[in-house]
Amino acid sequence: MMIFFIIAGWITMARLLQKSIRPMDWLLRNSGTLQTCSNILEKSCNLHTDLRPQQQLVIRVMEKHELEEKTKIITQMVNDEGWNQCWNWVKFLFTTVPNKCYLAEINSKLIGCAASFDTGIDIPTQYIGYIVFKPEYRNKNYYTTLSRYVNNHINKEHNIIGNVINRLIPFYEEKENLKKTSLYLTAYAGTLKHSAFNDDEANSNIKVVPISEALMSNVFQYDAAIYTASRSKYLNTWFNCGFTTTYVAIDEEGLVLGYTTLYEVEHSYRISPLYANGLHVAKKLLAKVALTIKDEKVMLYGPHNNLVKLANQHGMKELFQFTRMYSKQDIPIPLEKSVYSISGVVQFI
């Protein structure tokens, strides 16, 4: 009888080896308890939950001549993770904002990327973003490897900031020594109907007009007060890139009270940014956006406390939540009256 059990054990192990399945893999596939634990881990953080060894990962910086080809693949990866972007925007971002794009490859095949962007503010600060992978390479330790590689190649004297999905905060606090700020961001999507904006707002003294050369310098100054640094060169390119529409809210004397930029992405539109001197100005700008896109879906995200009332009034759906994190110091932003959807430039504000 003992010989029978020994032979049965050998046969079982031989079958496992023949199928290139290790005992732990077999357990994960056949144990309800372990499967449950694995699922909990997978949902709680987008980190290493697959116990199989990594294939050889090569990380390198994207070169200029690769921009067209690689940004198309990056756009697809971004959209696969639910960000709903367009290739025009991704290409614009990597062309216009000083950056380093780190490509993660296996056998010369692009499987993921991450990027560090120069925010252009007075305090030397790098924004870390676009850490994305193709679906079949997620929930492995590639994410951790790439994130740490990028952090190790950033000037240690620079402040590092990023908008972190709330479920990943414990990882960044413990492993990357980042600190939470009070900037709590929420993404919303839905349909803006022009009829939902009441007549009182339509009859106010605020005018919403398309941006023009005559308004440019005033908009640059208005933006700098919110962004905490001048970015006129970037904005001039953004407003004139060919795939955006920008509206400016002004009073009777022509003073800028806010502005917003709209651009089309896959199956919807993005509002990025929406800056306004109060909710009543933000609503005026959104009414103009609604009239322009004619009941199409839109997506925006920004400070939760500023957006939640506006989003609820228009039946917009909450998509996901972030928190701003930093390595050295927080950046003071006049959120309480100005920011309703953060800027497209590296999602700083």
Side-chain angles (χ1 to χ4, degrees):
M1 182 64 70
M2 180 65 70
I3 294 174
F4 171 79
F5 282 117
I6 292 172
I7 293 172
W10 285 347
I11 292 172
T12 301
M13 290 302 297
R15 285 176 178 173
L16 290 174
L17 291 171
Q18 185 179 17
K19 294 180 181 180
S20 298
I21 300 175
R22 294 171 299 154
M24 182 56 74
D25 290 328
W26 186 86
L27 282 171
L28 283 171
R29 294 179 188 182
N30 293 278
S31 165
T33 303
L34 285 175
Q35 281 182 334
T36 302
C37 292
S38 180
N39 289 339
I40 291 171
L41 283 170
E42 184 170 332
K43 290 177 181 178
S44 65
C45 60
N46 191 21
L47 304 175
H48 178 40
T49 58
D50 193 311
L51 298 178
R52 290 170 293 182
Q54 272 189 293
Q55 293 175 269
Q56 185 61 44
L57 184 70
V58 175
I59 301 173
R60 64 180 182 86
V61 175
M62 180 172 68
E63 299 179 17
K64 287 185 179 180
H65 69 86
E66 301 178 288
L67 186 70
E68 293 273 323
E69 173 196 356
K70 300 302 184 186
T71 52
K72 286 180 180 179
I73 302 173
I74 291 169
T75 303
Q76 186 59 54
M77 289 191 290
V78 167
N79 288 339
D80 285 343
E81 292 203 354
W83 292 95
N84 195 20
Q85 268 297 355
C86 66
W87 178 53
N88 281 334
W89 157 245
V90 176
K91 186 171 64 169
F92 171 86
L93 178 64
F94 284 111
T95 304
T96 309
V97 181
N99 72 86
K100 277 191 177 180
C101 180
Y102 299 89
L103 305 178
E105 298 176 328
I106 291 177
N107 297 327
S108 300
K109 175 187 175 184
L110 180 61
I111 68 159
C113 80
S116 64
F117 299 92
D118 185 352
T119 62
I121 62 177
D122 293 337
I123 303 166
T125 301
Q126 293 287 314
Y127 176 88
I128 308 300
Y130 274 13
I131 306 180
V132 293
F133 281 89
K134 289 184 175 180
E136 61 269 32
Y137 294 97
R138 295 179 201 151
N139 302 316
K140 298 176 170 61
N141 57 3
Y142 296 125
Y143 182 97
T144 307
T145 302
L146 180 57
S147 177
R148 288 179 176 169
Y149 182 92
V150 174
N151 286 343
N152 288 337
H153 284 75
I154 291 177
N155 188 329
K156 299 304 179 184
E157 300 302 316
H158 284 198
N159 192 30
I160 298 172
I161 60 169
N163 297 330
V164 177
I165 293 176
N166 286 351
R167 60 189 172 86
L168 294 181
I169 288 174
F171 168 78
Y172 280 96
E173 285 181 321
E174 179 182 353
K175 303 297 184 182
E176 306 296 341
N177 295 318
L178 296 185
K179 307 171 189 67
K180 287 191 296 185
T181 72
S182 58
L183 178 51
Y184 173 41
L185 303 158
T186 305
Y188 291 96
T191 302
L192 290 177
K193 295 185 179 295
H194 186 260
S195 58
F197 295 91
N198 63 49
D199 291 334
D200 289 338
E201 291 164 357
N203 295 327
S204 72
N205 295 325
I206 301 170
K207 292 183 179 180
V208 176
V209 297
I211 196 165
S212 63
E213 287 296 328
L215 285 171
M216 282 281 192
S217 60
N218 291 337
V219 172
F220 295 160
Q221 291 176 19
Y222 179 85
D223 180 272
I226 298 172
Y227 190 78
T228 73
S230 175
R231 51 177 179 168
S232 56
K233 183 178 180 181
Y234 165 81
L235 290 176
N236 187 59
T237 308
W238 177 234
F239 295 153
N240 294 287
C241 65
F243 65 91
T244 61
T245 301
T246 299
Y247 294 111
V248 184
I250 57 175
D251 64 12
E252 293 176 312
E253 298 178 356
L255 182 68
V256 174
L257 303 176
Y259 82 91
T260 190
T261 299
L262 173 75
Y263 64 99
E264 189 172 1
V265 295
E266 189 175 7
H267 309 308
S268 66
Y269 287 84
R270 290 286 289 266
I271 297 172
S272 175
L274 172 57
Y275 295 165
N277 288 2
L279 186 59
H280 64 296
V281 180
K283 286 182 176 180
K284 283 288 290 185
L285 287 162
L286 287 177
K288 185 66 173 179
V289 166
L291 189 62
T292 302
I293 63 176
K294 302 186 186 305
D295 296 342
E296 292 285 345
K297 290 184 179 179
V298 297
M299 179 179 176
L300 49 80
Y301 66 98
H304 179 82
N305 291 341
N306 291 8
L307 262 186
V308 62
K309 184 178 179 180
L310 191 62
N312 289 340
Q313 285 177 348
H314 293 276
M316 302 186 81
K317 180 182 177 182
E318 181 180 304
L319 300 179
F320 34 75
Q321 299 171 343
F322 301 86
T323 298
R324 170 66 48 78
M325 301 189 77
Y326 64 95
S327 63
K328 293 185 180 295
Q329 63 184 102
D330 192 8
I331 309 299
I333 303 167
L335 295 176
E336 66 281 352
K337 67 173 185 177
S338 300
V339 182
Y340 292 88
S341 184
I342 60 180
S343 170
V345 57
V346 304
Q347 285 72 55
F348 174 48
I349 61 168

